[in-house]
Amino acid sequence: MKHTFPIIAGLLSAIVSGCSQQNSNNNQGTTAFPPPHIYYRSYENVNEEGGYADGTYCATVEYYYAATGTRSTYTLEVEVEDNELTVIHWPNGGWLDNTHFTPPDISDGSASFTSDRGVDYTVEIIGEEGDCGLSGYAEDEDNLLQQEEDEEEERQRLREEREEEEERVEEDRRERRQQQEEEEEERRREQEELERSEEEPQAF
């Protein structure tokens, strides 16, 4: 009986040590795989050749209009077809499509182009349709061009006002010169009359 206790204790110690080693191996095995959320794009939206599947995505859209110096960035929905950017949707229900620009390649997630009306765009896809908070307001090209027209009309109005003011100033100068000449002529006549009267003999 005295010899059985050490044997039982040794068996229990071996069992506990084996379980601890097995748990350690299992834990090491599970850490070899990264969590699924690290993947940036889902496989449903990746073509076999790479890039993006045809569909609608949300993207940051930055534009620059040199005519007015306007630069803005919005989050908007864009359409991709054959790895090319084909449509940008504006929040007001309008859109800019490939009838106004040559569709650029966007297979790496970003693209730049200039529209037929001279607006420079930079587009970067940031998520799938419905995954992003879209901008509630964005100035589309019509607004930009209208802004340029309004500013040009304002510049034209200011030019006309300046020209009218210059004409008024010049007219005032002409009137003052004419008045001075008339006054000078009147003084000259008075002086001549005075001289004639002094030269004429006095009647007694």
Side-chain angles (χ1 to χ4, degrees), residues 63 95 139 162 164 194:
Y63 64 68
W95 64 86
E139 286 188 319
R162 186 166 56 251
E164 291 175 356
L194 178 60

Side-chain angles (χ1 to χ4, degrees), residues 5-189:
F5 180 75
I7 295 173
I8 293 173
L11 288 173
L12 288 174
S13 175
I15 291 171
V16 169
S17 175
C19 290
S20 298
Q21 183 66 29
Q22 183 178 2
N23 287 337
S24 175
N25 291 337
N26 288 339
N27 289 336
Q28 291 176 1
T30 57
T31 58
F33 301 98
H37 67 270
I38 69 167
Y39 296 106
Y40 179 69
R41 286 181 280 176
S42 66
Y43 285 105
E44 291 82 1
N45 288 326
V46 179
N47 291 326
E48 294 180 359
E49 300 82 5
Y52 289 83
D54 294 355
T56 302
Y57 299 86
C58 58
T60 56
V61 178
E62 178 184 2
Y63 64 68
Y64 174 68
Y65 189 39
T68 58
T70 303
R71 184 186 301 274
S72 297
T73 302
Y74 303 104
T75 302
L76 306 173
E77 287 186 342
V78 300
E79 292 185 21
V80 174
E81 185 176 349
D82 295 330
N83 272 325
E84 293 181 340
L85 175 69
T86 57
V87 182
I88 296 175
H89 292 278
W90 303 107
N92 62 4
W95 64 86
L96 181 72
D97 61 20
N98 53 10
T99 62
H100 295 287
F101 63 89
T102 300
D105 181 87
I106 199 167
S107 57
D108 64 351
S110 63
S112 298
F113 66 91
T114 301
S115 74
D116 60 346
R117 295 190 281 186
V119 182
D120 298 323
Y121 288 86
T122 300
V123 179
E124 182 176 357
I125 295 176
I126 58 175
E128 300 175 10
E129 181 181 13
D131 285 350
C132 309
L134 302 177
S135 299
Y137 171 78
E139 286 188 319
D140 58 21
E141 282 202 358
D142 291 336
N143 289 335
L144 290 177
L145 295 174
Q146 184 62 49
Q147 179 183 353
E148 168 62 10
E149 291 178 3
D150 293 344
E151 291 183 357
E152 179 57 31
E153 289 178 359
E154 179 65 14
R155 289 192 292 269
Q156 179 63 26
R157 185 185 66 81
L158 293 176
R159 282 195 297 269
E160 292 175 353
E161 288 183 353
R162 186 166 56 251
E163 291 172 358
E164 291 175 356
E165 179 63 24
E166 290 174 354
E167 289 178 358
R168 285 195 297 269
V169 171
E170 183 61 27
E171 180 65 24
D172 290 341
R173 289 173 181 170
R174 286 195 298 267
E175 290 178 356
R176 285 197 300 270
R177 283 197 301 268
Q178 184 177 357
Q179 183 178 1
Q180 289 173 354
E181 291 173 357
E182 291 174 353
E183 291 176 353
E184 181 65 26
E185 179 65 21
E186 180 66 23
R187 285 193 297 269
R188 187 184 62 80
R189 285 197 303 267

